[in-house]
Coordinates of all heavy atoms in Angstrom, one line a residue:
N295 N 14.9 18.0 -4.2 CA 14.4 18.9 -5.1 C 13.0 18.5 -5.5 O 12.7 17.3 -5.7 CB 15.3 18.9 -6.4 CG 14.9 20.1 -7.3 OD1 14.3 21.0 -6.9 ND2 15.4 19.9 -8.5
H296 N 12.1 19.4 -5.6 CA 10.7 19.1 -5.9 C 10.3 20.0 -7.1 O 10.8 21.1 -7.2 CB 9.8 19.5 -4.7 CG 8.3 19.1 -4.9 ND1 7.4 19.8 -5.6 CD2 7.7 18.0 -4.5 CE1 6.3 19.2 -5.6 NE2 6.4 18.1 -4.9
S297 N 9.5 19.5 -8.1 CA 9.2 20.2 -9.3 C 8.5 21.5 -9.1 O 8.6 22.5 -9.8 CB 8.5 19.3 -10.3 OG 7.2 18.9 -9.7
I298 N 7.7 21.6 -8.0 CA 6.9 22.8 -7.7 C 7.5 23.6 -6.6 O 7.6 24.9 -6.8 CB 5.4 22.4 -7.4 CG1 4.7 21.8 -8.6 CG2 4.7 23.7 -6.9 CD1 3.4 21.2 -8.3
F299 N 7.9 23.0 -5.5 CA 8.4 23.7 -4.4 C 9.9 24.1 -4.5 O 10.4 24.9 -3.7 CB 8.1 23.0 -3.1 CG 6.7 22.6 -2.9 CD1 6.3 21.3 -2.8 CD2 5.7 23.6 -2.8 CE1 5.0 20.9 -2.6 CE2 4.4 23.3 -2.6 CZ 4.0 21.9 -2.6
G300 N 10.6 23.5 -5.4 CA 12.0 23.8 -5.6 C 12.9 23.0 -4.7 O 12.6 21.9 -4.2
C301 N 14.1 23.6 -4.4 CA 15.1 22.9 -3.5 C 14.7 23.0 -2.1 O 14.1 24.0 -1.6 CB 16.5 23.5 -3.7 SG 17.2 23.1 -5.3
G302 N 15.0 22.0 -1.3 CA 14.7 22.0 0.1 C 15.7 21.1 0.8 O 16.6 20.5 0.2
E303 N 15.5 21.0 2.1 CA 16.4 20.3 3.0 C 15.6 19.3 3.8 O 14.5 19.7 4.4 CB 17.2 21.2 3.9 CG 18.1 20.5 4.9 CD 18.8 21.5 5.8 OE1 18.6 22.7 5.7 OE2 19.6 21.0 6.6
V304 N 16.0 18.0 3.9 CA 15.3 17.1 4.7 C 15.6 17.4 6.1 O 16.8 17.5 6.5 CB 15.8 15.6 4.3 CG1 15.2 14.6 5.3 CG2 15.5 15.3 2.9
I305 N 14.5 17.6 6.9 CA 14.7 18.0 8.3 C 14.3 16.9 9.3 O 14.7 16.9 10.4 CB 14.0 19.3 8.7 CG1 12.5 19.2 8.4 CG2 14.7 20.4 7.9 CD1 11.8 20.4 8.9
A306 N 13.5 15.9 8.8 CA 13.0 14.8 9.6 C 12.7 13.6 8.7 O 12.2 13.8 7.6 CB 11.9 15.2 10.5
Q307 N 12.8 12.4 9.3 CA 12.4 11.2 8.5 C 12.0 10.2 9.5 O 12.6 10.0 10.6 CB 13.6 10.7 7.7 CG 13.3 9.4 7.0 CD 14.5 8.9 6.2 OE1 15.5 9.5 6.1 NE2 14.3 7.7 5.7
S308 N 10.9 9.5 9.2 CA 10.5 8.3 10.0 C 10.4 7.1 9.0 O 10.8 7.2 7.9 CB 9.2 8.6 10.7 OG 8.1 8.6 9.7
D309 N 9.9 6.0 9.5 CA 9.8 4.9 8.6 C 8.8 5.1 7.5 O 9.0 4.5 6.4 CB 9.3 3.6 9.4 CG 10.4 3.1 10.4 OD1 11.5 3.4 10.2 OD2 10.0 2.4 11.3
S310 N 7.8 6.0 7.7 CA 6.8 6.1 6.6 C 6.7 7.6 6.1 O 6.0 7.8 5.1 CB 5.5 5.7 7.2 OG 5.1 6.5 8.3
T311 N 7.4 8.5 6.7 CA 7.3 9.9 6.2 C 8.6 10.6 6.1 O 9.5 10.2 6.8 CB 6.3 10.8 7.1 OG1 6.8 10.9 8.4 CG2 4.9 10.3 7.1
I312 N 8.7 11.7 5.3 CA 9.9 12.5 5.3 C 9.4 13.9 5.3 O 8.4 14.3 4.6 CB 10.7 12.1 4.0 CG1 12.1 12.8 4.1 CG2 10.0 12.4 2.8 CD1 13.1 12.3 3.1
T313 N 10.1 14.8 6.1 CA 9.7 16.2 6.2 C 10.8 17.0 5.5 O 12.0 16.9 5.8 CB 9.5 16.6 7.6 OG1 8.6 15.8 8.2 CG2 9.0 18.1 7.7
V314 N 10.4 17.9 4.6 CA 11.3 18.7 3.9 C 11.0 20.2 4.1 O 9.8 20.6 4.0 CB 11.3 18.4 2.4 CG1 12.3 19.3 1.6 CG2 11.6 16.9 2.1
R315 N 12.0 21.0 4.4 CA 11.8 22.5 4.5 C 12.3 23.1 3.2 O 13.5 22.9 2.8 CB 12.6 23.1 5.7 CG 12.4 24.6 5.7 CD 13.1 25.3 6.9 NE 12.5 24.8 8.1 CZ 13.3 24.3 9.1 NH1 14.6 24.3 9.0 NH2 12.7 23.9 10.2
F316 N 11.4 23.7 2.4 CA 11.8 24.3 1.1 C 12.3 25.7 1.3 O 11.8 26.5 2.1 CB 10.6 24.2 0.2 CG 10.3 22.8 -0.2 CD1 9.2 22.1 0.4 CD2 11.0 22.1 -1.2 CE1 9.0 20.8 0.1 CE2 10.7 20.8 -1.5 CZ 9.7 20.2 -0.9
Q317 N 13.3 26.0 0.5 CA 14.0 27.3 0.6 C 13.1 28.5 0.1 O 13.1 29.6 0.7 CB 15.3 27.3 -0.2 CG 16.3 26.3 0.3 CD 17.5 26.2 -0.6 OE1 17.5 26.7 -1.7 NE2 18.5 25.4 -0.2
A318 N 12.3 28.3 -0.9 CA 11.5 29.4 -1.5 C 10.6 30.1 -0.5 O 10.6 31.3 -0.4 CB 10.7 28.9 -2.7
D319 N 9.8 29.3 0.2 CA 8.9 29.8 1.2 C 9.1 29.5 2.6 O 8.3 29.8 3.5 CB 7.4 29.4 0.8 CG 7.3 27.9 0.7 OD1 8.2 27.2 1.0 OD2 6.2 27.5 0.3
N320 N 10.3 28.8 2.9 CA 10.6 28.4 4.2 C 9.5 27.6 4.9 O 9.3 27.7 6.1 CB 11.0 29.6 5.1 CG 11.9 29.1 6.2 OD1 12.6 28.1 6.2 ND2 11.9 29.9 7.3
E321 N 8.8 26.8 4.1 CA 7.7 26.0 4.6 C 8.0 24.6 4.6 O 8.8 24.1 3.7 CB 6.5 26.2 3.6 CG 5.2 25.7 4.2 CD 4.0 26.1 3.4 OE1 4.0 27.1 2.6 OE2 3.0 25.4 3.5
E322 N 7.5 23.9 5.6 CA 7.8 22.4 5.7 C 6.6 21.6 5.1 O 5.5 22.0 5.3 CB 7.9 22.1 7.2 CG 9.1 22.7 7.9 CD 9.2 22.4 9.4 OE1 8.4 21.5 9.9 OE2 10.0 22.9 10.1
K323 N 7.0 20.6 4.4 CA 6.0 19.7 3.7 C 6.4 18.3 4.1 O 7.6 17.9 4.2 CB 6.1 19.8 2.2 CG 5.9 21.2 1.7 CD 4.5 21.6 1.6 CE 4.3 22.9 0.9 NZ 3.0 23.5 1.1
K324 N 5.4 17.5 4.4 CA 5.6 16.1 4.7 C 5.2 15.2 3.4 O 4.2 15.5 2.8 CB 4.7 15.6 5.8 CG 5.2 16.1 7.2 CD 4.5 15.5 8.3 CE 5.1 15.9 9.6 NZ 4.7 15.2 10.7
F325 N 6.0 14.2 3.2 CA 5.8 13.3 2.1 C 5.8 11.9 2.6 O 6.5 11.6 3.6 CB 6.8 13.5 1.0 CG 6.9 14.8 0.4 CD1 7.7 15.8 0.9 CD2 6.1 15.1 -0.7 CE1 7.7 17.1 0.4 CE2 6.1 16.4 -1.3 CZ 6.9 17.4 -0.8
L326 N 5.1 11.0 1.9 CA 5.2 9.5 2.2 C 6.6 9.0 1.8 O 7.1 9.4 0.7 CB 4.1 8.7 1.5 CG 2.7 9.0 2.0 CD1 1.7 8.2 1.2 CD2 2.6 8.6 3.5
Y327 N 7.2 8.3 2.6 CA 8.5 7.7 2.3 C 8.4 6.2 2.2 O 7.7 5.6 3.0 CB 9.5 8.0 3.5 CG 10.9 7.5 3.2 CD1 11.7 8.2 2.4 CD2 11.3 6.3 3.8 CE1 13.0 7.7 2.1 CE2 12.5 5.8 3.5 CZ 13.4 6.5 2.7 OH 14.6 6.0 2.4
P328 N 8.9 5.6 1.1 CA 9.8 6.1 0.1 C 9.1 6.6 -1.2 O 9.7 7.0 -2.1 CB 10.7 4.9 -0.2 CG 9.7 3.8 0.0 CD 8.8 4.2 1.1
Q329 N 7.8 6.5 -1.2 CA 7.1 6.8 -2.5 C 7.4 8.2 -3.0 O 7.4 8.4 -4.2 CB 5.5 6.7 -2.3 CG 5.1 5.3 -1.9 CD 5.0 5.0 -0.4 OE1 5.7 5.6 0.3 NE2 4.2 4.0 0.0
A330 N 7.7 9.1 -2.2 CA 7.9 10.5 -2.6 C 9.1 10.6 -3.6 O 9.1 11.4 -4.5 CB 8.2 11.4 -1.4
F331 N 10.1 9.7 -3.4 CA 11.3 9.8 -4.2 C 11.0 9.1 -5.6 O 11.8 9.4 -6.5 CB 12.5 9.1 -3.6 CG 13.1 10.0 -2.5 CD1 12.8 9.8 -1.2 CD2 13.9 11.1 -2.9 CE1 13.4 10.6 -0.2 CE2 14.5 11.9 -1.9 CZ 14.2 11.7 -0.6
S332 N 10.0 8.3 -5.7 CA 9.7 7.8 -7.0 C 8.7 8.7 -7.8 O 8.5 8.5 -9.0 CB 9.1 6.4 -6.9 OG 7.9 6.4 -6.2
Q333 N 8.1 9.6 -7.1 CA 7.0 10.4 -7.7 C 7.3 11.9 -7.7 O 7.1 12.6 -8.7 CB 5.7 10.2 -7.1 CG 5.2 8.8 -7.2 CD 3.9 8.5 -6.5 OE1 3.4 9.3 -5.7 NE2 3.4 7.3 -6.6
Y334 N 7.7 12.5 -6.5 CA 7.8 13.9 -6.3 C 9.2 14.5 -6.1 O 9.5 15.6 -6.6 CB 6.9 14.3 -5.2 CG 5.5 13.8 -5.2 CD1 5.1 12.8 -4.4 CD2 4.6 14.3 -6.2 CE1 3.8 12.3 -4.4 CE2 3.3 13.8 -6.2 CZ 2.9 12.8 -5.4 OH 1.7 12.3 -5.4
L335 N 10.0 13.8 -5.4 CA 11.3 14.3 -4.9 C 12.4 13.7 -5.7 O 12.4 12.5 -6.0 CB 11.5 14.1 -3.4 CG 10.5 14.8 -2.5 CD1 10.7 14.3 -1.1 CD2 10.5 16.3 -2.6
T336 N 13.5 14.5 -5.9 CA 14.8 13.9 -6.4 C 15.9 14.3 -5.4 O 15.8 15.4 -4.9 CB 15.1 14.4 -7.8 OG1 15.1 15.8 -7.8 CG2 14.1 13.9 -8.8
L337 N 16.8 13.4 -5.2 CA 17.9 13.7 -4.3 C 19.0 14.4 -5.0 O 19.5 14.0 -6.0 CB 18.4 12.4 -3.7 CG 19.4 12.5 -2.6 CD1 18.8 13.2 -1.4 CD2 19.9 11.1 -2.2
S338 N 19.4 15.6 -4.5 CA 20.5 16.4 -5.1 C 21.9 15.9 -4.7 O 22.8 16.1 -5.5 CB 20.3 17.8 -4.7 OG 19.0 18.3 -5.1
S339 N 22.0 15.3 -3.6 CA 23.3 14.9 -3.1 C 23.8 13.6 -3.8 O 23.2 12.6 -3.7 CB 23.2 14.6 -1.6 OG 24.4 14.0 -1.1
T340 N 24.9 13.8 -4.5 CA 25.4 12.6 -5.2 C 26.1 11.6 -4.3 O 26.2 10.4 -4.6 CB 26.5 13.1 -6.3 OG1 27.5 13.8 -5.7 CG2 25.8 13.9 -7.4
T341 N 26.5 12.1 -3.1 CA 27.2 11.1 -2.2 C 26.1 10.2 -1.5 O 26.4 9.1 -1.2 CB 28.0 11.9 -1.1 OG1 27.1 12.8 -0.4 CG2 29.1 12.6 -1.7
L342 N 24.9 10.7 -1.3 CA 23.9 10.0 -0.6 C 23.0 9.2 -1.6 O 22.3 8.3 -1.2 CB 23.0 10.9 0.2 CG 23.6 11.5 1.4 CD1 22.6 12.5 2.1 CD2 24.1 10.5 2.4
A343 N 23.1 9.5 -2.9 CA 22.2 8.8 -3.9 C 22.4 7.3 -3.9 O 21.3 6.6 -3.9 CB 22.5 9.4 -5.3
P344 N 23.6 6.7 -3.9 CA 23.7 5.2 -3.9 C 23.0 4.6 -2.7 O 22.3 3.6 -2.7 CB 25.2 4.9 -3.9 CG 25.8 6.2 -4.4 CD 24.9 7.3 -4.0
E345 N 23.2 5.2 -1.5 CA 22.6 4.7 -0.3 C 21.1 4.8 -0.3 O 20.4 3.8 0.0 CB 23.1 5.5 0.9 CG 22.6 5.0 2.3 CD 23.1 5.9 3.4 OE1 24.1 6.5 3.3 OE2 22.4 5.9 4.5
L346 N 20.5 5.9 -0.8 CA 19.1 6.1 -1.0 C 18.5 5.0 -2.0 O 17.5 4.4 -1.7 CB 18.7 7.5 -1.4 CG 17.2 7.7 -1.7 CD1 16.4 7.6 -0.4 CD2 17.0 9.0 -2.3
Q347 N 19.2 4.9 -3.1 CA 18.8 3.9 -4.1 C 18.7 2.5 -3.6 O 17.8 1.8 -3.8 CB 19.7 4.0 -5.3 CG 19.1 3.3 -6.5 CD 17.8 3.9 -7.0 OE1 17.6 5.1 -6.9 NE2 16.9 3.0 -7.3
S348 N 19.8 2.2 -2.8 CA 19.8 0.8 -2.2 C 18.6 0.7 -1.2 O 18.0 -0.4 -1.2 CB 21.1 0.7 -1.4 OG 21.1 -0.5 -0.7
E349 N 18.4 1.7 -0.4 CA 17.3 1.6 0.6 C 15.9 1.5 -0.1 O 15.0 0.7 0.2 CB 17.3 2.8 1.5 CG 16.4 2.7 2.7 CD 16.5 3.8 3.7 OE1 17.6 4.4 3.7 OE2 15.5 4.1 4.3
L350 N 15.8 2.3 -1.2 CA 14.5 2.3 -2.0 C 14.3 0.9 -2.6 O 13.2 0.4 -2.7 CB 14.5 3.4 -3.0 CG 14.4 4.8 -2.5 CD1 14.5 5.8 -3.7 CD2 13.1 5.0 -1.7
S351 N 15.4 0.3 -3.1 CA 15.2 -1.0 -3.7 C 14.8 -2.1 -2.7 O 13.9 -2.9 -3.0 CB 16.6 -1.5 -4.3 OG 17.0 -0.6 -5.4
V352 N 15.3 -2.0 -1.5 CA 14.9 -3.0 -0.5 C 13.5 -2.8 -0.1 O 12.7 -3.7 0.0 CB 15.8 -2.8 0.8 CG1 15.3 -3.6 2.0 CG2 17.3 -3.3 0.5
L353 N 13.1 -1.5 0.0 CA 11.7 -1.2 0.4 C 10.7 -1.6 -0.7 O 9.6 -2.1 -0.4 CB 11.5 0.3 0.7 CG 12.2 0.7 2.0 CD1 12.2 2.2 2.2 CD2 11.6 0.1 3.2
Q354 N 11.1 -1.4 -2.0 CA 10.3 -1.8 -3.1 C 10.1 -3.4 -3.1 O 9.0 -3.9 -3.4 CB 10.8 -1.3 -4.4 CG 10.5 0.1 -4.6 CD 11.0 0.6 -6.0 OE1 12.0 0.1 -6.5 NE2 10.3 1.5 -6.6
E355 N 11.2 -4.1 -2.8 CA 11.1 -5.5 -2.8 C 10.2 -6.0 -1.7 O 9.4 -6.9 -1.9 CB 12.5 -6.1 -2.6 CG 13.4 -6.1 -3.8 CD 14.8 -6.7 -3.5 OE1 14.9 -7.4 -2.6 OE2 15.7 -6.3 -4.3
Q356 N 10.2 -5.3 -0.5 CA 9.3 -5.7 0.6 C 7.9 -5.4 0.2 O 7.0 -6.2 0.5 CB 9.7 -4.9 1.8 CG 11.0 -5.3 2.5 CD 11.4 -4.4 3.6 OE1 10.9 -3.3 3.8 NE2 12.4 -4.8 4.4
M357 N 7.6 -4.3 -0.5 CA 6.3 -4.0 -0.9 C 5.8 -5.0 -1.9 O 4.6 -5.4 -1.9 CB 6.2 -2.5 -1.5 CG 6.3 -1.5 -0.4 SD 6.4 0.3 -0.9 CE 5.7 0.3 -2.5
I358 N 6.6 -5.4 -2.8 CA 6.2 -6.4 -3.8 C 5.9 -7.7 -3.2 O 4.8 -8.3 -3.5 CB 7.3 -6.6 -4.9 CG1 7.4 -5.3 -5.8 CG2 7.1 -7.8 -5.7 CD1 8.6 -5.3 -6.7
K359 N 6.7 -8.1 -2.2 CA 6.4 -9.4 -1.5 C 5.1 -9.3 -0.7 O 4.4 -10.3 -0.7 CB 7.6 -9.7 -0.6 CG 8.8 -10.2 -1.3 CD 10.0 -10.5 -0.4 CE 11.2 -11.0 -1.2 NZ 12.4 -11.2 -0.3
E360 N 4.9 -8.2 -0.1 CA 3.7 -8.0 0.7 C 2.4 -8.0 -0.3 O 1.4 -8.7 0.1 CB 3.7 -6.7 1.4 CG 2.5 -6.4 2.3 CD 2.3 -7.4 3.4 OE1 3.2 -8.1 3.8 OE2 1.1 -7.4 3.9
R361 N 2.5 -7.4 -1.4 CA 1.4 -7.5 -2.4 C 1.2 -8.9 -2.8 O 0.0 -9.3 -3.0 CB 1.7 -6.6 -3.6 CG 1.4 -5.1 -3.4 CD 1.5 -4.3 -4.7 NE 2.0 -3.0 -4.4 CZ 3.0 -2.4 -5.0 NH1 3.5 -3.0 -6.0 NH2 3.4 -1.2 -4.7
Q362 N 2.3 -9.6 -3.1 CA 2.1 -11.0 -3.5 C 1.5 -11.9 -2.4 O 0.6 -12.7 -2.7 CB 3.5 -11.6 -3.9 CG 4.0 -11.0 -5.2 CD 5.5 -11.5 -5.5 OE1 6.2 -11.9 -4.6 NE2 5.9 -11.3 -6.7
R363 N 1.9 -11.6 -1.2 CA 1.3 -12.4 -0.1 C -0.2 -12.1 0.0 O -1.0 -13.0 0.2 CB 2.0 -12.0 1.2 CG 1.5 -12.8 2.4 CD 2.0 -12.2 3.7 NE 1.5 -10.9 4.0 CZ 0.2 -10.7 4.5 NH1 -0.6 -11.7 4.6 NH2 -0.2 -9.5 4.7
I364 N -0.6 -10.8 -0.1 CA -2.0 -10.4 -0.1 C -2.8 -11.1 -1.2 O -3.9 -11.6 -1.0 CB -2.1 -8.9 -0.1 CG1 -1.6 -8.3 1.3 CG2 -3.6 -8.5 -0.3 CD1 -1.5 -6.8 1.3
E365 N -2.2 -11.0 -2.4 CA -2.9 -11.6 -3.6 C -3.1 -13.1 -3.4 O -4.1 -13.7 -3.7 CB -2.2 -11.3 -4.8 CG -2.4 -9.9 -5.4 CD -3.9 -9.7 -5.7 OE1 -4.5 -10.6 -6.3 OE2 -4.4 -8.6 -5.3
A366 N -2.0 -13.8 -2.9 CA -2.1 -15.2 -2.6 C -3.2 -15.6 -1.6 O -4.0 -16.5 -1.7 CB -0.8 -15.8 -2.1
A367 N -3.3 -14.7 -0.6 CA -4.3 -14.9 0.5 C -5.7 -14.7 -0.1 O -6.7 -15.5 0.1 CB -4.1 -14.0 1.6
R368 N -5.9 -13.7 -1.0 CA -7.2 -13.5 -1.7 C -7.5 -14.6 -2.6 O -8.7 -15.1 -2.6 CB -7.1 -12.2 -2.4 CG -7.2 -10.9 -1.6 CD -7.1 -9.7 -2.4 NE -7.1 -8.5 -1.6 CZ -6.7 -7.3 -2.0 NH1 -6.3 -7.1 -3.3 NH2 -6.7 -6.3 -1.2
L369 N -6.6 -15.1 -3.3 CA -6.8 -16.2 -4.2 C -7.2 -17.5 -3.4 O -8.2 -18.2 -3.8 CB -5.6 -16.5 -5.1 CG -5.7 -17.7 -6.0 CD1 -6.8 -17.5 -7.0 CD2 -4.4 -17.9 -6.7
A370 N -6.5 -17.8 -2.3 CA -6.9 -18.9 -1.5 C -8.3 -18.7 -0.9 O -9.0 -19.7 -0.9 CB -5.9 -19.0 -0.4
E371 N -8.6 -17.5 -0.6 CA -10.0 -17.3 0.0 C -11.0 -17.5 -1.1 O -12.1 -18.1 -0.8 CB -10.1 -15.8 0.5 CG -11.3 -15.5 1.2 CD -11.3 -14.1 1.8 OE1 -10.4 -13.8 2.5 OE2 -12.2 -13.4 1.4
R372 N -10.8 -17.1 -2.3 CA -11.7 -17.3 -3.4 C -11.9 -18.8 -3.7 O -13.0 -19.3 -4.0 CB -11.3 -16.5 -4.6 CG -11.7 -15.1 -4.6 CD -11.3 -14.4 -5.9 NE -9.9 -14.4 -5.9 CZ -9.1 -13.5 -6.6 NH1 -9.7 -12.6 -7.3 NH2 -7.8 -13.5 -6.5
L373 N -10.7 -19.5 -3.8 CA -10.8 -20.9 -4.0 C -11.5 -21.7 -3.0 O -12.3 -22.6 -3.2 CB -9.4 -21.5 -4.2 CG -8.6 -21.0 -5.5 CD1 -7.2 -21.5 -5.5 CD2 -9.4 -21.5 -6.7
T374 N -11.3 -21.3 -1.7 CA -12.0 -21.9 -0.6 C -13.5 -21.7 -0.7 O -14.3 -22.6 -0.5 CB -11.5 -21.4 0.7 OG1 -10.1 -21.6 0.8 CG2 -12.2 -22.1 1.9
A375 N -13.9 -20.5 -1.1 CA -15.3 -20.1 -1.2 C -16.0 -20.9 -2.3 O -17.1 -21.3 -2.2 CB -15.5 -18.6 -1.5
R376 N -15.2 -21.2 -3.4 CA -15.8 -22.0 -4.5 C -16.0 -23.5 -4.1 O -16.9 -24.1 -4.6 CB -14.9 -21.9 -5.7 CG -15.0 -20.6 -6.4 CD -14.1 -20.7 -7.7 NE -14.0 -19.4 -8.3 CZ -13.2 -19.1 -9.2 NH1 -12.3 -20.0 -9.6 NH2 -13.1 -17.9 -9.7
T377 N -15.1 -24.0 -3.3 CA -15.1 -25.5 -3.0 C -16.1 -25.8 -1.9 O -16.6 -26.9 -1.8 CB -13.7 -26.0 -2.6 OG1 -13.3 -25.3 -1.5 CG2 -12.8 -25.9 -3.8
V378 N -16.4 -24.8 -1.1 CA -17.4 -25.1 0.0 C -18.8 -25.0 -0.6 O -19.2 -24.0 -1.2 CB -17.3 -24.0 1.1 CG1 -18.4 -24.2 2.1 CG2 -15.9 -24.1 1.7
T379 N -19.5 -26.1 -0.5 CA -20.9 -26.1 -1.1 C -21.9 -25.9 0.0 O -21.7 -26.4 1.1 CB -21.2 -27.4 -1.8 OG1 -20.9 -28.5 -0.9 CG2 -20.3 -27.5 -3.1
P380 N -23.0 -25.2 -0.2 CA -24.0 -25.1 0.9 C -24.6 -26.4 1.2 O -24.6 -27.3 0.3 CB -25.0 -24.1 0.3 CG -24.7 -24.1 -1.2 CD -23.3 -24.6 -1.4
A381 N -25.1 -26.5 2.3 CA -25.8 -27.8 2.8 C -26.9 -28.1 1.8 O -27.6 -27.2 1.3 CB -26.4 -27.6 4.2
T382 N -27.1 -29.4 1.5 CA -28.1 -29.8 0.5 C -29.5 -29.4 1.1 O -29.8 -29.6 2.2 CB -28.1 -31.3 0.2 OG1 -27.4 -31.9 1.3 CG2 -27.5 -31.6 -1.1
K383 N -30.3 -28.9 0.2 CA -31.6 -28.5 0.6 C -32.5 -29.7 0.7 O -32.4 -30.6 -0.1 CB -32.2 -27.5 -0.4 CG -31.6 -26.2 -0.5 CD -32.3 -25.3 -1.5 CE -31.6 -24.0 -1.6 NZ -32.3 -23.1 -2.5
T384 N -33.3 -29.7 1.7 CA -34.2 -30.9 1.8 C -35.5 -30.5 1.1 O -35.9 -29.4 1.1 CB -34.5 -31.1 3.3 OG1 -35.0 -30.0 3.9 CG2 -33.3 -31.6 4.1
K385 N -36.1 -31.5 0.5 CA -37.3 -31.3 -0.2 C -38.4 -31.0 0.8 O -38.6 -31.8 1.7 CB -37.7 -32.5 -1.1 CG -36.9 -32.6 -2.3 CD -37.5 -33.6 -3.2 CE -36.8 -33.7 -4.5 NZ -37.3 -34.7 -5.4
S386 N -39.1 -30.0 0.5 CA -40.2 -29.7 1.4 C -41.5 -30.4 0.8 O -41.8 -30.2 -0.4 CB -40.5 -28.2 1.6 OG -40.7 -27.6 0.3
T387 N -42.1 -31.2 1.6 CA -43.3 -31.9 1.1 C -44.5 -31.1 1.5 O -44.6 -30.6 2.7 CB -43.3 -33.3 1.6 OG1 -43.3 -33.3 3.0 CG2 -42.2 -34.1 1.0
S388 N -45.4 -30.9 0.7 CA -46.6 -30.2 1.0 C -47.6 -31.2 1.4 O -48.0 -32.1 0.7 CB -47.1 -29.3 -0.1 OG -47.4 -30.1 -1.2
R389 N -48.1 -31.1 2.6 CA -49.1 -32.0 3.1 C -50.4 -31.3 3.3 O -50.4 -30.1 3.8 CB -48.7 -32.7 4.4 CG -47.5 -33.6 4.3 CD -47.2 -34.2 5.5 NE -46.0 -35.0 5.4 CZ -45.5 -35.8 6.3 NH1 -46.1 -35.8 7.5 NH2 -44.4 -36.5 6.1
T390 N -51.4 -31.8 2.9 CA -52.7 -31.2 3.2 C -53.5 -32.0 4.2 O -53.4 -33.3 4.2 CB -53.5 -31.1 1.9 OG1 -53.7 -32.4 1.3 CG2 -52.9 -30.1 0.9
R391 N -54.1 -31.4 5.0 CA -54.9 -32.1 6.0 C -56.3 -32.5 5.5 O -56.9 -31.7 4.8 CB -55.2 -31.2 7.2 CG -54.1 -31.3 8.2 CD -54.5 -30.7 9.5 NE -53.6 -31.1 10.5 CZ -53.6 -30.5 11.7 NH1 -54.4 -29.6 12.0 NH2 -52.8 -31.0 12.6
A392 N -56.6 -33.6 5.8 CA -57.9 -34.1 5.3 C -59.0 -33.4 6.2 O -58.8 -33.3 7.4 CB -58.1 -35.6 5.5
K393 N -60.0 -32.9 5.6 CA -61.1 -32.2 6.3 C -62.0 -33.3 7.0 O -62.2 -34.3 6.4 CB -61.9 -31.4 5.4 CG -61.2 -30.2 4.9 CD -62.1 -29.3 4.1 CE -61.4 -28.1 3.6 NZ -62.2 -27.2 2.8
K394 N -62.4 -33.0 8.1 CA -63.3 -34.0 8.9 C -64.7 -33.7 8.6 O -65.2 -32.7 8.4 CB -63.0 -33.9 10.3 CG -61.6 -34.5 10.7 CD -61.5 -34.5 12.2 CE -60.2 -35.1 12.5 NZ -60.0 -35.1 13.9

């Protein structure tokens, strides 16, 4: 069920998308999976709801772990950039030539 398009039927699903054919206009719409179920779609089937909820929980945990890994890598990169000091500058001496 979608708040604007109404009731529909899932006709295809991949790892990252879900395709729904809506009854009102017989039109197919693609959504990002699983994000669509937290923002746009609700599951009408009470028998499939526990399975979907379990799958969504696993996917959310994976996304959280991936975000944490990325943040840790960024933090490590920033810390490394702070500890690396540029090569010490050598003093440039100005010499003047004596005129002959």
Side-chain angles (χ1 to χ4, degrees):
N295 192 19
H296 189 277
S297 60
I298 296 174
F299 304 120
C301 288
E303 180 181 0
V304 175
I305 58 172
Q307 178 183 352
S308 72
D309 288 342
S310 61
T311 62
I312 189 165
T313 306
V314 180
R315 179 180 295 129
F316 291 99
Q317 295 171 354
D319 55 5
N320 201 28
E321 192 173 337
E322 295 178 6
K323 305 278 186 193
K324 285 191 176 190
F325 298 92
L326 291 177
Y327 180 80
Q329 295 91 337
F331 283 100
S332 63
Q333 297 174 355
Y334 308 110
L335 300 174
T336 56
L337 189 62
S338 299
S339 171
T340 56
T341 57
L342 294 176
E345 184 180 336
L346 176 66
Q347 193 58 41
S348 173
E349 189 173 335
L350 291 176
S351 295
V352 169
L353 291 171
Q354 281 183 327
E355 286 177 23
Q356 289 174 348
M357 287 174 22
I358 289 170
K359 286 179 183 177
E360 181 64 16
R361 280 190 213 133
Q362 289 173 341
R363 187 192 64 76
I364 290 170
E365 281 300 314
R368 286 181 183 161
L369 179 61
E371 187 176 306
R372 281 184 290 205
L373 291 175
T374 302
R376 285 185 189 167
T377 58
V378 173
T379 56
T382 20
K383 293 183 180 179
T384 57
K385 284 189 175 180
S386 59
T387 55
S388 59
R389 295 185 182 182
T390 55
R391 276 194 162 166
K393 290 186 180 181
K394 291 186 181 180

